[in-house]
Every structure is written in structure tokens, then in C-alpha cells.
Amino acid sequence: MKNFLGLFFLLISIVSFSQKKQPKVGLVLSGGGAKGFAHISVLKEIDKAGVQVDYIGGTSMGAIIGGLYAAGFSANQIEDIVTETDFVNLLRDILPRSTSPFFEKEYLEKTRITLPIKRGKVGLPRAVSRGQNVLNFLFELLDSTEDLKDFSKLPIPFFCIATDVENGGEVLLEKGSLPLALRASGSFPTLLDPVILDDKLLIDGGVANNFPVTIMKSKGVDIIIGVDVEGKLYEKEKLTSVIAILNQIVSYQMYRKSTEEKEKLDVYIHPEIFKYNVVDFDKKDEIIKKGEIEAKKYREIFKEIAVKQIIKKKKKLLNINTDKRYVSKINITGNNYYTRAYVLGKLTIKKGDSLSRQEITKDIHLLSATKNYGRIEYQLKKQADKSYHLNFKLKESNDNATLSLGAHYDFLYKSGVLANYSQKHLFVENDLLSLDVILGDNLRYNLNYFVDNGFYISYGFRSRYNHFRANSKYNSVVSQFPDINSIDLKYIDITNQLFVQTTFDRKFALGLGLEQKHINASTETITNNNDKTILDNSNYYNAFGYLKLDTYDKKYFVTKGYYADLNFKWYLNSSNYNNNFTSFAQAKGVLGFATTIADEVTFQMTNEAGFALNNSDSDVFDFYLGGYNQNYTNTFVSLYGYDFAELSNNSFLKSEFKFSYCFIEKHYASFIANYARLDDNVFKNIDVFKNIKSGYALGYSYNSLIGPIEIKYSWSPDRNQNYWLFNLGFWF
């Protein structure tokens, strides 16, 4: 009855307006996160009826949908944009691995929990995402509005609402950059970082005014249509957690104010979407459908309004601009800690390029992936000669130091907890210090200091302490003592490196360096006068070079890409504990690729080889094959079907073939076959298939929050032995 009376009085008001003047129509769209997709259905009915909207106001998702409509996109175009966009990745700032700096691919993909450190104290991040992907997306869509700084001059005048974090007050946004205004209005607390505009720290407008009808009334409109996608306050039976209660408390003011605003509407539309929540972005099709059901109820009302609007502006539809612009100059502001060469090196943009906005977005991904920037803005300014100046405005991140945590367990290193401390611009511009401290059964550390000079040669220092104990066959020793099946091996490696490096397109890394390495290998299984036997206790002084390629789409559970790690090391001198050192060189390389061969089935092949150019008299640098670990050091190499370090010689060839099937999201079944040959020189004759060692494994893996959880059954037909293998968490 209430709805009927409302519609009746609306028709009376329309007749009254028709006798005086053409009514001006205002449209107000509320915030509601993913539920805001229902606005699209109402806009479609408005378009079908021919209603001319004279002013639009909105909050949060209502601001974004309304801003696109005000800029010139039709409702159908907005629907296409929404259905084709992966909002989960967009809102979480998820970028393809190909955008990651090479340093991160090699050393930092070991944790998923990262906390900022400020003034020596560990804190919490402001939000899940910095929102850079959202901003890039809006810059692409709203290309035509770049030079327009007054939202009342848009094809349809527009305003939106944000909230000032300092005082909780509403902030009216109707001037400036439209993409930035929409990004600020939609800064959902905890999901997206706040936005600084005009020295104000802004978050989602829904906190202060989720349904700005009063502001719309002040714009001189005659009829106000309001679309409400808010939820409801929970009943006490559903308030079963701290989070639910906090959400209820935060919602009091928003719902109270919205109730007051609804009384000022002429047409109130509230789709039946109460079962959905603000982050149901994967249910956008269902939400749009619910919006359609409700919007159709107002068709006749929309038609009545349209009939009274005799004079209508010609609406020119806006299309997404994919044109390339010739860049005659690049300007960068806000780069305090990172040089221009660093920024341009990461962006891979140079003067003379012709770029579309979509290509600029991909380049910004490369800079954003460094995690050095809180916000990256840009403008394309057209010049008299029809070229463009590309102006970047950077806001460097204040999170210069972070603490990342991880955990791991395997049968060699046993349990380990990783604490990674990272510090940026510690000594000079562009530098990064990363320190891994691994606490547990085998204390270890990895220190990396790297100065990334972008286009120019970079340099750095690495230091590593690695040790383990293993009940191992360690053939080079066991073969000398027929009565001993295995030894209790204690192995310590301390390595320090100075290096220079250059990278290409984030795929290749080429480097040279000098190394000091200390090896201490001993066993208490074989004793002399009750003293443990020391296999080696020497310092080695080496020169090295490497070429690396990494285009794998993931560190773990790879589905496509190529990988190469080719190393050459020349052992120049030694403290020579065993008095048997002669200078020698050694090469080792890994080549791999992965491809998806069927739905959810991936094939990955990895080929590995190692050889000495002139043999060392010491057995310590022989190649040792066996086991399954992915974090072996020096010349230890995994080989399913064999125990750790069970096989050894001066050179080896190995091929591994892995089939992986994702049968449920994050759950994988795998079959692995690997084959190897060892000899003094496996390349000495053409018969590389002679004396092949083979091993196989069946496994189950789960991609958990702390990394892969894997259990495998491994065996070899060459011998009557099999193994159960297990590891938990990222390898480090």
C-alpha cells in the first residue's frame, strides 16, 4: 500500500511539472560493494525508457557505476565492462608473476604474510590492497575526462562522496581528477588503502553518507530516483563473532542516515539482494539479475518521466580509447629515493614510444610490482605538434622496512621458521637489503644486498650460512668402507659473493662475481683415535658467472613458461685442508619448460647437467644425486627413487618429467619420472643412455596459505627400496 501511494503521488508530481516546465531528473546510487552491480540493471531500464538523467550522485560502487554513466558510457557498455573484468584480481592488486623484479623471483617468494615495520615497531598494513590496479583501470576507462576538472561539465553533471578519516565527516568530490575521486569514494576500509586528496586522507564515502539524497536535492533537480543496495542490520542471532559485532556497530550511523535520506526520494528502488555481501564479486551475474527483477517493476514510471522530458540532449556514447599516442617527453615527479633511471628502467618506457593507455597500464604494473609506490598517477598532455608529454606523479611507499614470516618442514632440514627482514634505500638510492633468518633444527641465514640501477649495471653482495645433518649413503665416502652402509654426515657451507648484474625485460639476468666459500664436511661414523673424520675444512676463492631465465607463471604449481639457470665457476685457490687442491672449473645448468596440455593438466620437463672441465682431487665437489629437496646447496641434486646423496661422480645428466592434474581448486595429483646418468665424463662418448638410473614418484599436493603441502611415494625399479616423502611450506 505504501509503494502504491508513493507511485500515485509521483504521477501527480509529474503532471504538475508538465504544466510548468520540463522536470530535471537526479539519480542517486548508494554504496554497497559488489551489490552495487545491481545499479546497472536500473540504468538499463532508464536507458530503455528514454529518461534523461540530468544529475548523478553516488557513493562507493554507486559512485563508480554512476561516474562511468556520467562520463558517457551506456548501461549496456558498463555491464560489458563489469562482466569482462576480474574484480577479485583487480581489487587485490594481483599482478602476473612476469611483472615481478628478477630479484623477487629469485629470493623473496617464500612467504605470504608481510607486516610493515615503522620506527622499529611491527605494525599491520592499512589494507589488503593499495588499489593501484583499480586506479589504472579507471584511468583507462575515463580517458576522455583527463582535461576536465569540473565534474559539472561532464556529459551528465556528477558528484560523489568520500569520508575524511581524521574526523569521520563526509567530503563532497566534484572537482579534480575523476578517476582519483572515484578511487577515493570506493576505498572500502581494510580492502583498499585510503587516498590522499587535497591533504585529506579519504576512505569509502559509505562510512559518512552512503545515500547522498540531500546533496542531490540541493542541485535544483525536480525528481530524484534513488537506488539503494545497502544491506540490513543483523538480528542478534547472527551476531556470533567479534567481526560481525564490529560491522554492526560501524553500520549504525550509515543506516540511520540512509533512512533519513530515503524520505526525500521520489522513486525508491531497493533490489532484493540481502543474501549477498559487499565482497561477492564472483556473483556479479546473479546480482545483476536480481537488479533486473526489481528494475522492471518501475518501467511504467520511467516511461512517464521520459514522456515529460520533451527537450533531450543528444547523447554521444563513449568508447574505451585504445589509440596510441606518440610520447615526445617523459616527466617524473615524486621520485625521492629512487632515481629517474630506476623508474624508467622498471617502466620500460622511453621517449619516442607510441603507447595506448592499456600499454601504459602494463608498464605501470612493472613499476607497481616493486612495491615501492603507494600510488602511481599519470597524465597524457597533448602538445601543439600533436605529440604527448607523459607526466608521472609518484607517491613513494612509506613501508620501507617489512617483516615476512614463513614455515617449512622436510626430512633433511627438518622444521624451520623463516623471518625475513627487508629494508629499502638503507645506504643509497635504489638499494634493497633482504635478510632471511631460519630458526629450527638447522639454523641458517641468507643475506642479500642489491643496488638496482634500472637501465644501468646493478651490483650487490650475498652471504649465506647453510648446514644440515643427514644419515646419508654419501657414496664417495661409503664406497671406501665396504662395511658401512651410510654415514652421519654433518655439512656446513658459508658463502660470500660480490657481483655485478644486468637484467633484461625481467626475464633474463646476466652476472659476474667473486666468491669466498668455506666448506666443512665431517662424520662421526668413521673415527680416527675417537675423533670424528673431517672430509674437508677449507676456504675456496672463486670467480663465477651466470645466465638465468625465468618466465614461469608461478613459483610453485607452474602451468606455463621457461626456466634456465646456467652457472660457471672457476675454483682459483684454496686454504687446502687435505693438501690436494688443484685449480679446476665446474659448470652446472638447468633448463626447463612447462605447458598446459589439457584442462587442468600440466606437463613440466626439467633437464639438468653438471661437469668439471678438469677434475678436482677432492670428492667434496663431486655431483651428489638423490632425495627430493628443492633447496639443495652446491653440487647436491634431487633424484626421486634414491636416498639423499646416494649417487655421485664428476659429471651427470638428468631429465625429469612431471604431469600434474588440478582435480579440485588448489589440490593437485602428480606423477614424476626422472632419469640420470653419472660418470667421470658423461659427454665422453655418444652413448649417453648407458647405465641410466631411473626413479618415479606419485604425489598429492595442496597449495596452502603457507605454501605447498606435499606427500609423495617414490621408488626405483633399479633397486628394492622405496620412500615416503613429505614437505610443508615454501622451500627455503
Side-chain angles (χ1 to χ4, degrees):
M1 184 67 180
K2 185 178 179 181
N3 286 342
F4 174 78
L5 290 174
L7 296 177
F8 174 76
F9 286 119
L10 173 63
L11 291 173
I12 294 296
S13 66
I14 291 173
V15 171
S16 174
F17 281 130
S18 66
Q19 296 172 354
K20 300 176 183 177
K21 60 177 181 177
Q22 174 171 306
K24 287 187 176 180
V25 176
L27 176 65
V28 181
L29 306 177
S30 83
K35 295 183 290 182
F37 294 142
H39 292 314
I40 297 169
S41 303
V42 177
L43 290 174
K44 285 169 70 176
E45 289 298 331
I46 285 173
D47 280 350
K48 287 178 185 176
V51 174
Q52 175 176 287
V53 177
D54 297 291
Y55 224 116
I56 298 179
T59 298
S60 193
M61 184 60 80
I64 293 171
I65 300 295
L68 295 177
Y69 192 75
F73 287 106
S74 69
N76 285 329
Q77 286 176 305
I78 297 172
E79 182 177 29
D80 290 340
I81 291 167
V82 166
T83 54
E84 292 170 7
T85 300
D86 184 346
F87 280 90
V88 174
N89 282 351
L90 191 74
L91 290 165
R92 290 173 59 195
D93 266 355
I94 293 177
L95 299 174
R97 187 170 182 263
S98 59
T99 65
S100 298
F102 204 92
F103 182 89
E104 181 171 330
K105 291 180 183 178
E106 193 166 12
Y107 296 111
L108 300 182
E109 296 179 322
K110 303 171 186 174
T111 63
R112 285 205 179 113
I113 300 173
T114 300
L115 303 172
I117 297 177
K118 295 180 179 178
R119 298 175 183 174
K121 296 181 179 179
V122 179
L124 293 173
R126 281 180 168 178
V128 172
S129 164
R130 294 180 177 179
Q132 185 63 48
N133 282 3
V134 174
L135 187 58
N136 294 341
F137 183 60
L138 293 171
F139 274 129
E140 285 183 37
L141 296 176
L142 298 169
D143 173 83
S144 65
T145 70
E146 184 163 69
D147 295 325
L148 195 152
K149 301 305 177 186
D150 183 346
F151 302 166
S152 68
K153 305 300 182 185
L154 287 165
I156 302 174
F158 172 78
F159 69 84
C160 63
I161 303 297
T163 302
D164 189 329
V165 178
E166 286 188 293
N167 54 38
E170 70 178 54
V171 178
L172 178 62
L173 301 175
E174 44 189 357
K175 293 186 183 298
S177 165
L178 182 58
L180 271 176
L182 300 183
R183 166 68 182 84
S185 182
S187 294
F188 190 84
T190 72
L191 181 60
L192 295 176
D193 266 0
V195 172
I196 297 176
L197 274 180
D198 300 326
D199 291 328
K200 294 179 180 178
L201 188 64
L202 305 180
I203 60 170
D204 194 296
V207 176
N209 188 352
N210 201 44
F211 210 17
V213 180
T214 299
I215 296 173
M216 179 59 74
K217 206 144 187 92
S218 71
K219 299 299 181 182
V221 298
D222 303 304
I223 298 171
I224 303 178
I225 302 169
V227 187
D228 179 10
V229 294
E230 289 179 358
K232 296 178 179 178
L233 291 173
Y234 289 116
E235 297 174 353
K236 61 180 179 297
E237 291 79 10
K238 294 183 178 180
L239 297 172
T240 57
S241 69
V242 172
I243 294 175
I245 292 172
L246 287 174
N247 284 337
Q248 186 90 334
I249 294 169
V250 170
S251 299
Y252 291 153
Q253 179 184 350
M254 180 175 73
Y255 289 149
R256 188 181 300 115
K257 187 173 181 64
S258 293
T259 300
E260 297 169 359
E261 295 289 88
K262 292 170 193 174
E263 301 298 325
K264 302 168 186 176
L265 287 170
D266 298 294
V267 181
Y268 176 62
I269 304 172
H270 197 179
E272 185 70 31
I273 50 175
F274 302 113
K275 72 173 185 177
Y276 301 100
N277 62 53
V278 294
V279 293
D280 277 339
F281 295 100
D282 57 334
K283 298 176 182 176
K284 53 192 171 186
D285 293 333
E286 296 176 31
I287 294 169
I288 291 171
K289 190 68 179 175
K290 289 287 187 181
E292 287 178 4
I293 294 170
E294 190 66 22
K296 286 176 181 178
K297 299 175 183 178
Y298 295 84
R299 277 183 176 175
E300 294 305 316
I301 298 299
F302 292 155
K303 287 178 182 177
E304 290 288 343
I305 295 173
V307 166
K308 305 306 177 185
Q309 293 179 308
I310 301 170
I311 303 170
K312 290 193 172 71
K313 302 174 188 174
K314 187 176 180 181
K315 191 170 182 179
K316 183 180 178 182
L317 290 181
L318 181 65
N319 292 307
I320 299 174
N321 194 337
T322 59
D323 293 344
K324 292 178 180 287
R325 277 90 154 192
Y326 177 79
V327 178
S328 58
K329 188 177 181 180
I330 302 172
N331 298 310
I332 300 172
T333 58
N335 54 318
N336 300 316
Y337 290 110
Y338 298 93
T339 63
R340 177 183 172 88
Y342 174 89
V343 174
L344 293 178
K346 297 302 177 188
L347 286 168
T348 68
I349 295 176
K350 60 183 182 299
K351 177 181 173 181
D353 286 346
S354 291
L355 301 167
S356 65
R357 284 197 181 268
Q358 292 72 27
E359 289 169 329
I360 294 173
T361 290
K362 290 180 180 178
D363 292 327
I364 288 176
H365 286 167
L366 301 176
L367 187 60
S368 180
T370 64
K371 301 181 178 66
N372 293 332
Y373 300 92
R375 191 166 82 205
I376 304 168
E377 301 173 43
Y378 72 94
Q379 287 182 317
L380 283 163
K381 284 291 185 182
K382 193 172 184 179
Q383 306 301 304
D385 61 358
K386 297 185 179 180
S387 70
Y388 287 81
H389 286 181
L390 179 53
N391 302 323
F392 285 100
K393 184 179 179 181
L394 309 177
K395 185 182 184 302
E396 293 177 344
S397 173
N398 293 324
D399 297 336
N400 300 325
T402 59
L403 175 67
S404 300
L405 303 173
H408 182 81
Y409 178 84
D410 65 67
F411 290 158
L412 178 65
Y413 288 100
K414 308 300 182 183
S415 61
V417 175
L418 169 71
N420 170 267
Y421 174 78
S422 293
Q423 172 78 59
K424 297 174 182 176
H425 39 81
L426 182 63
F427 300 117
V428 297
E429 293 179 330
N430 309 346
D431 74 354
L432 170 62
L433 173 74
S434 174
L435 173 63
D436 293 342
V437 177
I438 299 152
L439 306 173
D441 292 302
N442 290 279
L443 180 67
R444 291 170 282 154
Y445 79 78
N446 284 286
L447 185 147
N448 286 279
Y449 178 74
F450 185 58
V451 179
D452 189 340
N453 287 324
F455 282 137
Y456 305 113
I457 297 293
S458 302
Y459 59 92
F461 170 75
R462 304 184 189 111
S463 180
R464 179 189 69 203
Y465 171 67
N466 190 310
H467 84 105
F468 57 81
R469 298 187 72 121
N471 186 31
S472 168
K473 294 191 179 337
Y474 205 69
N475 261 11
S476 64
V477 176
V478 172
S479 61
Q480 301 174 37
F481 300 89
D483 296 332
I484 297 176
N485 293 321
S486 63
I487 64 170
D488 180 22
L489 174 67
K490 182 178 180 181
Y491 189 93
I492 296 174
D493 170 276
I494 303 173
T495 300
N496 299 295
Q497 295 179 336
L498 286 169
F499 67 95
V500 293
Q501 176 180 293
T502 186
T503 58
F504 306 94
D505 197 23
R506 301 192 175 215
K507 299 174 183 176
F508 291 94
L510 178 64
L512 297 169
L514 297 173
E515 174 185 86
Q516 178 269 325
K517 180 184 289 290
H518 174 73
I519 298 291
N520 186 315
S522 62
T523 179
E524 295 181 354
T525 306
I526 304 166
T527 61
N528 184 14
N529 296 324
N530 293 322
D531 291 330
K532 65 182 178 181
T533 296
I534 298 176
L535 308 175
D536 194 10
N537 186 21
S538 302
N539 292 302
Y540 295 88
Y541 306 95
N542 319 314
F544 65 89
Y546 57 85
L547 173 65
K548 298 182 180 183
L549 165 70
D550 189 350
T551 67
Y552 279 163
D553 62 335
K554 302 172 187 176
K555 181 78 170 182
Y556 302 93
F557 306 107
V558 183
T559 63
K560 62 180 179 179
Y562 296 89
Y563 180 84
D565 186 358
L566 309 177
N567 291 272
F568 178 83
K569 190 171 291 186
W570 186 9
Y571 291 81
L572 298 168
N573 205 344
S574 171
S575 61
N576 201 9
Y577 175 82
N578 291 314
N579 296 314
N580 62 354
F581 176 80
T582 56
S583 179
F584 69 100
Q586 198 173 62
K588 184 173 178 288
V590 181
L591 296 173
F593 86 93
T595 184
T596 300
I597 58 176
D599 288 344
E600 307 301 336
V601 177
T602 298
F603 170 67
Q604 184 176 359
M605 182 174 75
T606 305
N607 297 301
E608 203 163 347
F611 60 93
L613 295 183
N614 49 321
N615 293 340
S616 168
D617 292 329
S618 170
D619 293 334
V620 171
F621 291 104
D622 282 358
F623 293 100
Y624 293 89
L625 274 64
Y628 69 106
N629 284 56
Q630 304 301 306
N631 57 351
Y632 283 151
T633 185
N634 295 334
T635 53
F636 293 98
V637 179
S638 64
L639 185 68
Y640 289 100
Y642 289 83
D643 201 359
F644 168 69
E646 183 173 350
L647 305 174
S648 66
N649 217 313
N650 288 320
S651 66
F652 79 97
L653 284 172
K654 174 196 161 188
S655 291
E656 179 179 297
F657 307 93
K658 179 179 180 180
F659 294 88
S660 181
Y661 173 53
C662 182
F663 57 93
I664 303 175
E665 185 180 6
K666 296 186 177 182
H667 295 264
Y668 299 81
S670 60
F671 170 71
I672 302 168
N674 55 196
Y675 307 92
R677 179 172 181 247
L678 297 91
D679 206 334
D680 280 338
N681 186 350
V682 293
F683 304 105
K684 189 173 182 179
N685 55 57
I686 300 176
D687 190 9
V688 294
F689 297 101
K690 182 181 178 182
N691 297 325
I692 295 295
K693 308 295 183 182
S694 62
Y696 304 89
L698 287 171
Y700 161 77
S701 305
Y702 172 62
N703 188 10
S704 75
L705 179 65
I706 61 171
I709 300 175
E710 298 183 296
I711 185 167
K712 295 172 184 172
Y713 175 73
S714 172
W715 75 96
S716 172
D718 306 332
R719 46 208 295 284
N720 295 320
Q721 212 159 0
N722 50 62
Y723 304 93
W724 282 101
L725 312 173
F726 176 77
N727 70 276
L728 179 150
F730 297 111
W731 290 95
F732 48 73

